[in-house]
Amino acid sequence: MINGRSKRGKKKKSKSKYTLHVSGNAENEETMEYLTRLGMNKPDIDELYSCFMEIAGSGKGKTRSFSLSQFYHWAQIRNDQIADFHADIFSVLEGGDIANGINFREFALVMWNFLSLHEEAGTTLPAFIFFLYDKAGNGVLKNAELRDIIWGLHGHTDDEGRLEAVMDHFKFSTRNPFELGTNMKAFAEMNRMQPFLCYPAFRLMKHLRLKICGTAFWMRLRSKRRKRFQESVDLWE
């Protein structure tokens, strides 16, 4: 996606509070290039930048950023709603250290990658989750990685019996039948049979779309994404 070629979007007057200035700023120029390749035009980028500035604040400083806790507070995500998946969506960044703050480029790329997914396609959201947790990158999830998905989406538990019950509910018992691994096709079928599996990700997506630029903004980018990249979930492909 990032390495692909782009077409220029139609120009329209921006109503955004902030504008991303690129003249003489190499980092902003590169960010603009990345986002343009993904199908965003200047008004789109300025609207997203205005949202970023609302989170990060407009104080002094050449490079603005915000922490995950600031993001959660701004997005009105309660502490008891936060699971590992909320941070895991940022793991697609190459060499990004979000412990030191999330800058605009990181924010924009991660939000585009997650919020423009075509969840109604039936397989794209599960594919995105599969991609995040397939740490080996071999297209197969082992039981430990399936556990990571449950913990990441549904929260941690120290109750082993409860974890076994959840695993059994989603049809991947720790004793059977997925010890040899689960591929993407099987995982998508799990989600079809047990839609509650990926529901927390779906709920987060809907919530963030409303908070960040509005649902209509992301529906438009979702349509562009599907035309350009089909069902791909790899930001750097």
Side-chain angles (χ1 to χ4, degrees):
M1 297 179 188
I2 289 295
N3 294 326
R5 299 182 65 181
S6 66
K7 297 179 181 178
R8 293 185 179 274
K10 293 181 179 179
K11 292 184 178 180
K12 60 180 180 181
K13 187 177 179 180
S14 176
K15 298 180 181 179
S16 303
K17 183 177 179 181
Y18 293 96
T19 297
L20 183 69
H21 297 289
V22 298
S23 179
N25 188 316
E27 182 176 341
N28 285 355
E29 286 181 0
E30 187 175 35
T31 298
M32 182 77 76
E33 183 181 351
Y34 282 166
L35 298 180
T36 301
R37 288 176 183 175
L38 295 177
M40 298 177 69
N41 56 31
K42 186 61 166 66
D44 292 335
I45 295 168
D46 286 343
E47 188 170 349
L48 196 55
Y49 183 64
S50 294
C51 184
F52 168 82
M53 290 296 290
E54 185 179 330
I55 305 170
S58 56
K60 295 180 180 180
K62 185 177 180 180
T63 303
R64 296 186 180 93
S65 63
F66 56 79
S67 66
L68 275 178
S69 60
Q70 282 179 276
F71 179 60
Y72 297 152
H73 178 75
W74 176 87
Q76 298 180 315
I77 299 173
R78 301 192 315 267
N79 288 338
D80 62 345
Q81 296 176 317
I82 297 171
D84 288 352
F85 180 76
H86 291 65
D88 290 341
I89 62 174
F90 288 89
S91 66
V92 297
L93 296 170
E94 290 190 338
D97 183 7
I98 64 171
N100 294 323
I102 299 162
N103 62 31
F104 175 62
R105 181 193 302 180
E106 294 165 339
F107 169 73
L109 291 178
V110 168
M111 291 304 108
W112 179 90
N113 196 44
F114 181 45
L115 300 184
S116 68
L117 286 171
H118 202 296
E119 76 285 0
E120 294 173 7
T123 58
T124 311
L125 184 56
F128 175 75
I129 294 169
F130 187 99
F131 176 76
L132 283 186
Y133 291 94
D134 179 17
K135 305 301 183 184
N138 60 2
V140 176
L141 295 178
K142 296 293 186 179
N143 268 344
E145 292 167 317
L146 292 171
R147 282 171 173 251
D148 286 345
I149 289 177
I150 292 176
W151 280 334
L153 290 171
H154 297 272
H156 288 266
T157 176
D158 294 326
D159 184 344
E160 188 65 20
R162 181 182 169 198
L163 178 60
E164 290 288 345
V166 173
M167 295 285 279
D168 287 339
H169 176 72
F170 290 128
K171 309 299 184 187
F172 29 84
S173 163
T174 55
R175 300 175 295 278
N176 256 341
F178 295 100
E179 291 198 357
L180 296 179
T182 303
N183 61 23
M184 178 56 229
K185 183 177 180 181
F187 184 72
E189 179 62 14
M190 280 184 208
N191 183 67
R192 189 185 70 81
M193 298 295 292
Q194 303 284 354
F196 183 69
L197 171 61
C198 295
Y199 178 73
F202 175 78
R203 181 178 59 200
L204 178 64
M205 174 190 288
K206 291 288 190 180
H207 179 74
L208 291 181
R209 280 174 175 170
L210 284 171
K211 293 292 294 182
I212 301 170
C213 300
T215 300
F217 177 91
W218 295 108
M219 291 300 96
R220 182 165 46 79
L221 292 183
R222 185 183 76 169
S223 178
K224 286 185 178 182
R225 175 177 182 161
R226 200 172 191 193
K227 289 177 181 178
R228 287 169 178 253
F229 309 115
Q230 288 77 50
E231 303 298 331
S232 176
V233 296
D234 185 353
L235 177 63
W236 304 101
E237 168 176 88

